[in-house]
Amino acid sequence: MGWADGHLYVSICRFALDCSYMQLLSQSHHRRSNSTATVTSETQPILSQHKLLRLVITVLHSIFTVNYCIKSLSPATTAPHPYRWKANPSQSFAEMRKRPRITPATREVKGEIVEDLMSLLPDDILINIISRLPLKEAAKTSVLSSRWKYLWTFTTVLDFDGITESPNCISDPTCIDKVLQLHRGSSINKFRLCLYSKDLHESEITNWVYSALSKRVQIFELELWPRLKNYTFLENCYNNLKSELSGVKYLRSLRLFSVNVTGEILEFILHNCPLLDQLSVVRSETLVSLKVVGSAIQLKHLRISTCYRLNEIKISTPNLLSFKYFGPGQELKLHIENAPQLVDISFRGVMLTRVRNVVGPITSCFPQLKTLELDSCDELYAQFSEHELPNLTHLHLRVATLNRESLLGLASIMKACPFLQTLIVQFDYNGYKVGRRRKVPRHSHQHLKLVELHGFLGRPIDLELAFYILENATTLEKMVVNRTNYSFGCGNAKDCTKLREAKLRQGVELLVL
């Protein structure tokens, strides 16, 4: 028995004894009033017994009090829980009755009542917290109490990741089926399926995808390693989606990695998902043609990468902000028109040689572009010499071989971007020819603040580019020179020493890695 319970018990005994003593005195007084005989001999034993019982009760109270004081001085109880109920020896019996009872918002720990503040939160907030946990951790919350038993089944994030092999991720097909069966929520904010496909069947993937779409999923990501040649995204449930658009129309972001998909299905999604603003397709073997055409299409970010059979991309939508492409460019037919908000373009290819087929359509967006990333070659520089990019602030170029022609070309590109603030040049050396020496015309760049040179070998042509930028960028704040681990017979350390010893304008930071 704890001190609080013992104190309550002693108080009850004392109260009962006083009540019985008063009742006996009342009866004795009543008999004495009806007779003239004295009753001193009757009341004396009652008074003696009452004093004895009160003495016993007082001793018991002292024992409980001393026991409580000894426990309170022990180190284990010097810092009581801030939400525990504390008994006060000076409390009356009426106050003692106000001890809190165990409710759904409280729980008993080692005989003491502790208030559970987390359970006082509304279900929506608790579900939001659980949705930020990995699925295994979210499922473990079901053992906390009856209130938490089914909260995790309303999670708004279902992330099945079998690639990273994280211990908190669920990747077993049987477990995935079980989680989807137990899920009670009416909507899913994010559904991510990233699995090895060697043990999967096409029917399983189709059922999972359809289950996610039926839950009004907003962010959908599907990644399979390696690619399943016989599986095409939404091919089996394409006809059902045409008649049941209630789920798919809530899509905001769609990312397919190493998943086959056709242009027809992508165009269906673009025209029937009014909230879709991000689309990314990587490593699809069945994508041959893609048309993003229509004023009602709300797509803002489009990314196509390593789809080697793709031979045509047509873009004509007023809401597109960003277009990123990586892949072969020789046979690609690119058409861009009616894209007034397209301000970010990245066009790179592992075998990109005929850039005229690509740069031509891009030039229509030059006046509005703010960010541009390109694989450059000698044919590219002529295109820039005929145009100006008045709003471009970020330029990223990948130079196959830095020679005299490319150095002159880089200077002409920088001249065509009068408000350029960030310049990143990546050197991928595929040859040794530098070309005959030609003077690079000077041009002041009054807004260029950051320059990064990656793959810097320290050759004279490399140093010439670095010194050209240092001399002509009047407001330059920082230059980062990232060297490679090899050189063409020239001392990198010596050349970088020359670069470090160069007289820099005040306020310019030179960082050589």
Side-chain angles (χ1 to χ4, degrees), residues 80-96:
H81 194 281
Y83 299 110
R84 289 175 181 169
W85 171 77
K86 302 179 180 64
N88 188 351
S90 63
Q91 286 180 326
S92 63
F93 174 69
E95 293 173 336
M96 294 290 292

Side-chain angles (χ1 to χ4, degrees), residues 390-424:
N391 293 310
L392 194 72
T393 59
H394 185 102
L395 178 62
H396 188 169
L397 295 175
R398 180 168 169 249
V399 181
T401 301
L402 182 60
N403 51 32
R404 189 65 55 186
E405 295 297 327
S406 60
L407 180 58
L408 292 171
L410 286 174
S412 65
I413 291 177
M414 293 173 63
K415 183 180 179 181
C417 308
F419 294 97
L420 187 65
Q421 298 180 12
T422 301
L423 173 64
I424 300 176

